[in-house]
């Protein structure tokens, strides 16, 4: 049957498109992608039995010749089962699968009771389905090889090849059409869906497993949908659902909850349970936007909020989300120029060895934005990591900290935090070696602090990097110990010089016995392994006294000394003969502060 090919050529031939139109942006089965007049012209002249139906399976368009060959009257709005009497529940379910993005199918349809059925092709059309009757009576229920080829051609133009869901082109057309016919603020809901953890599956189990996962994920999305809900694959692990239902926003929230729940069970691939979740952003049209692109942007902003709030959840767009995102984008642009504009600077917090010897300082990165003011590292460092800026910024931090340390007494050390992006870049050891040589600082005066997140994959490269730094004489500290995973295998396999106990265990150290037991155990274990211990976040005399009694090697916190600028740090060192804390209430803190010899 050649009708699918002729239908495509007729509707998409140049004079139907207009000058400069992009043929690939139109769907051969989509009546709304061409002018209504052109479609009616085709239907009036074709000799084939073509008809289109909406999502409720009611007639919207049909070829003129069908009027003369059907025993029942053809009127726009009549139900499909009134035109074809043998349509039953089973056929309706097959049509619904096509409607939800399934492949075209061959079925047997009767024009009237008692007549032999004819073969027909059922394919997805704009917000509905299309039916093309064969000119021959049914002979086995399958079309010719040529017919099957045309069906595949039609399907490929409008559907994603991997998952079978409708594709991005079809999505854009259907979304704009849905927005053009509604008159309620929230009548059309757009749900943008992103898979949580998909990249890790792709990277560890391979792209073949990733493709299988996408197919299974599409199936779960499709199985969750009800009437008035259509699914699409946009790109990669990004999916979308257009929902046209009353009762919003409750209906969109119900669907989002059902989708999130559907992704909680593992996907079994090659007998391996694979877990991915779903984050969802929701926007409503025309309330949030009247144009498809703008509604997609609103849903994307809501999706970003869902990712930021912990993933595996859904968020509905609101204007404050857009404001926060715009502020973040402004920061992202400004951060790219901050280093050149000398907006980044370092502060230095003293590191104290009991009772009151200054042994060094930790360099802390700061950003003074010319308009916003001081921006905390917790805000701009994730942006720098996501944008690939940490190598450049990290190199500057190490070099600047080392240059400042050369102005201090040679006994004082400087500690620098490394981001996971720096550690895993592959060039860290070369960068550190070059800086140490160029600045002329002793290698053992530099301590690099890494967090457990960079050690989640105990690869040969990780081990080599740490061992190389150790050979160079650089000290290595494991920061924030006690949080995240705290695997003891780290302490066995990597050459750490220092463990830094996270402030979470220090803040209630004076009153909480559990914190006391944990901190005491960490100190004992570290000393047994020949590793020094630093307690972060020391804020009270009582905390300091308890840690000293338990033989903690080094203390750091605002009680002992707040972060200082470069010049103030040098003043702090020059005033080393003065008392560190004048009003601590304990004689131990009346000792003089002196650089450790």
């Amino acid at each position: 049957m050649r009708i699918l090919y002729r239908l495509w050529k007729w509707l998409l031939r140049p004079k139907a498109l207009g000058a400069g139109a992009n043929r690939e942006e139109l769907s051969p089965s989509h009546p709304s992608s061409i002018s209504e007049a052109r479609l009616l012209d085709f239907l009036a002249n074709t000799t084939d039995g073509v008809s289109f139906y909406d999502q409720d399976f009611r007639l919207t368009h049909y070829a003129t010749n069908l009027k003369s060959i059907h025993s029942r009257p053809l009127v726009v709005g009549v139900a499909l089962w009134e035109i074809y009497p043998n349509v039953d529940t089973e056929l309706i379910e097959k049509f619904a699968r096509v409607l939800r993005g399934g492949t075209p199918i061959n079925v047997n349809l009767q024009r009237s009771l008692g007549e032999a059925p004819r073969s027909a092709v059922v394919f997805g059309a704009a917000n509905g389905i299309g039916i093309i009757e064969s000119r021959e009576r049914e002979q086995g229920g399958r079309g010719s090889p040529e017919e099957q080829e045309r069906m595949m051609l039609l399907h490929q133009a409008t559907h994603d090849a991997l998952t079978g869901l409708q594709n991005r082109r079809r999505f854009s057309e259907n979304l704009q059409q849905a927005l053009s016919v509604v008159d309620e603020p929230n009548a059309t809901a757009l749900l943008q869906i992103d898979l949580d953890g998909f990249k890790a599956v792709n990277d560890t189990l391979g792209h073949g497993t990733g493709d299988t996962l996408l197919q299974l994920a599409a199936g779960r999305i499709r199985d969750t949908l009800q009437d008035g809900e259509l699914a699409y694959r946009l790109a990669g692990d990004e999916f979308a659902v257009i929902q046209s239902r009353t009762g919003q926003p409750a209906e969109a929230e119900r669907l989002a909850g059902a989708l999130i729940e559907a992704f909680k069970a593992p996907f079994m691939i090659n007998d391996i349970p694979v877990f991915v979740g779903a984050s969802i952003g929701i926007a409503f049209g025309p309330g949030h936007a009247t144009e498809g692109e703008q509604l997609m942007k609103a849903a994307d902003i809501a999706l970003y909020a869902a990712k930021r709030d912990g993933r595996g959840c859904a968020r509905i767009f609101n204007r404050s989300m857009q404001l926060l995102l715009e502020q973040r984008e402004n920061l992202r642009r400004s951060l790219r120029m901050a280093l050149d504009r000398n907006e980044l600077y370092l502060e230095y917090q003293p590191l104290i060895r009991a009772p009151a010897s200054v042994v060094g300082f930790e360099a802390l990165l700061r950003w003074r934005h010319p308009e916003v003011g001081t921006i905390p590292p917790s805000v701009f460092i994730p942006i720098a990591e996501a944008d690939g800026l940490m190598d450049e910024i990290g190199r500057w931090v190490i070099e600047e900290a080392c240059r400042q340390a050369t102005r201090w007494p040679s006994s004082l050390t400087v500690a620098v935090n490394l981001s996971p992006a720096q550690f895993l870049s592959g060039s860290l050891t070369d960068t550190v070696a070059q800086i140490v040589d160029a600045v002329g600082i002793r290698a053992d005066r530099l301590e690099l602090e890494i967090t457990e997140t960079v050690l989640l994959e105990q690869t040969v490269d990780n081990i080599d990097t740490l061992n190389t730094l150790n050979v160079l004489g650089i000290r290595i500290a494991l920061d924030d110990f006690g949080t995240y995973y705290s695997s003891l295998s780290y302490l066995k396999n990597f050459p750490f010089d220092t463990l830094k106990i996270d402030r979470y265990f220090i803040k209630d150290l004076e009153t909480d016995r559990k914190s006391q037991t944990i901190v005491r155990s960490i100190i004992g274990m570290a000393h047994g392994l020949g590793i020094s211990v630093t307690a972060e976040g020391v804020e009270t005399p009582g905390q300091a006294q308890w840690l000293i009694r338990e033989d903690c090697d080094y203390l750091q916190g605002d009680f002992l000394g707040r972060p200082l600028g470069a010049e103030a740090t040098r003043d702090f060192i020059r005033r080393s003969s003065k008392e560190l804390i004048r009003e601590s209430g304990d004689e131990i803190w009346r000792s003089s502060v002196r650089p450790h010899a």
Side-chain angles (χ1 to χ4, degrees), residues 6 45 100 105 214 216 244 247 268 313 320 351 465 483 552:
R6 290 201 300 271
N45 290 281
R100 292 195 294 267
I105 59 174
L214 289 173
L216 295 175
S244 299
M268 296 302 299
C313 61
S320 63
L351 184 65
T465 298
T483 57
C552 184

Side-chain angles (χ1 to χ4, degrees), residues 554-570:
Y554 306 111
L555 311 181
Q556 181 181 353
D558 287 354
F559 170 70
L560 304 165
R562 295 180 180 275
L564 304 167
E567 185 60 39
T569 299
R570 292 193 290 275

Side-chain angles (χ1 to χ4, degrees), residues 174-466:
N174 289 358
L175 179 60
Q176 194 57 50
Q177 185 184 34
L179 290 173
S180 66
V181 298
V182 297
D183 53 7
E184 297 179 14
N186 294 336
T188 297
L190 171 59
L191 288 77
Q192 299 271 60
I193 307 165
D194 193 78
L195 304 188
D196 301 327
F198 175 76
K199 184 178 185 300
V201 174
N202 239 6
D203 292 346
T204 56
L205 299 179
H207 291 284
T209 299
D211 286 349
T212 301
L213 178 57
L214 289 173
Q215 291 170 332
L216 295 175
R220 287 197 186 176
I221 294 173
R222 188 186 291 115
D223 292 343
T224 307
L225 303 184
Q226 299 179 3
D227 291 342
E229 299 165 352
L230 293 175
Y232 307 82
R233 183 190 178 202
L234 303 184
D237 61 335
E238 301 172 16
F239 298 86
V241 173
I242 299 175
Q243 183 191 58
S244 299
R245 298 175 69 92
T246 58
Q248 301 291 14
E251 279 298 307
E253 292 174 334
R254 173 199 58 77
L255 174 57
L259 288 166
I260 290 170
E261 190 66 28
F263 277 84
K264 289 184 177 179
F267 294 86
M268 296 302 299
I269 303 176
N270 298 325
D271 296 325
I272 299 174
V274 177
F275 291 87
V276 294
S279 295
I280 301 175
I282 306 172
F284 296 99
H288 291 146
T290 57
E291 296 294 326
E293 286 294 329
Q294 293 302 313
L295 192 64
M296 287 178 64
K297 180 180 178 181
D300 274 336
I301 292 172
L303 175 60
Y304 172 81
K307 292 281 191 182
R308 184 192 61 212
D309 291 348
R311 304 173 183 265
C313 61
R315 293 292 180 265
I316 295 176
F317 172 79
N318 59 58
R319 301 300 175 187
S320 63
M321 289 179 183
Q322 185 169 7
L323 180 61
L324 287 173
L325 187 64
E326 289 172 352
Q327 290 175 342
R328 183 182 177 87
E329 290 303 312
N330 289 335
L331 287 181
R332 173 174 281 112
R333 288 190 291 269
S334 298
L335 184 57
R336 289 189 172 275
M337 299 177 285
L339 199 55
D340 293 336
R341 294 177 175 178
N342 297 317
E343 294 170 8
L344 299 181
Y345 65 99
L346 297 180
E347 291 185 333
Y348 302 88
Q349 186 166 37
L351 184 65
I352 306 298
R353 190 175 73 176
S357 298
V358 180
V359 296
F361 296 85
E362 180 180 354
L364 303 172
L365 179 60
R366 302 288 187 256
W367 180 15
R368 187 181 294 109
H369 192 282
E371 298 174 0
V372 180
T374 301
I375 300 173
S378 59
V379 172
F380 71 82
I381 287 181
I383 296 175
E385 290 175 334
D387 284 6
L389 301 177
M390 276 314 301
D391 265 355
E392 182 182 2
I393 292 176
R395 182 186 180 96
W396 176 84
V397 171
I398 296 172
E399 185 170 353
E400 178 66 16
C402 288
R403 290 192 186 282
Q404 286 295 331
T406 60
R407 304 178 185 180
W408 307 338
S410 61
S411 60
L412 299 183
T413 62
V414 63
V416 176
N417 289 281
L418 293 180
S419 103
Q422 285 173 270
F423 189 85
L424 300 175
S425 68
S427 60
L428 177 63
T429 53
D430 290 340
T431 297
V432 172
Q434 291 166 7
I435 290 174
V436 169
D437 287 343
V439 172
I441 190 173
R442 283 198 334 268
D444 63 353
R445 294 186 62 196
L446 173 62
E447 182 170 77
L448 298 179
E449 299 183 4
I450 64 173
T451 61
E452 294 168 284
T453 53
V454 306
L455 300 176
L456 292 182
E457 295 183 19
Q458 296 185 22
T459 65
V460 173
D461 288 342
N462 285 348
I463 297 173
D464 286 348
T465 298
L466 286 171

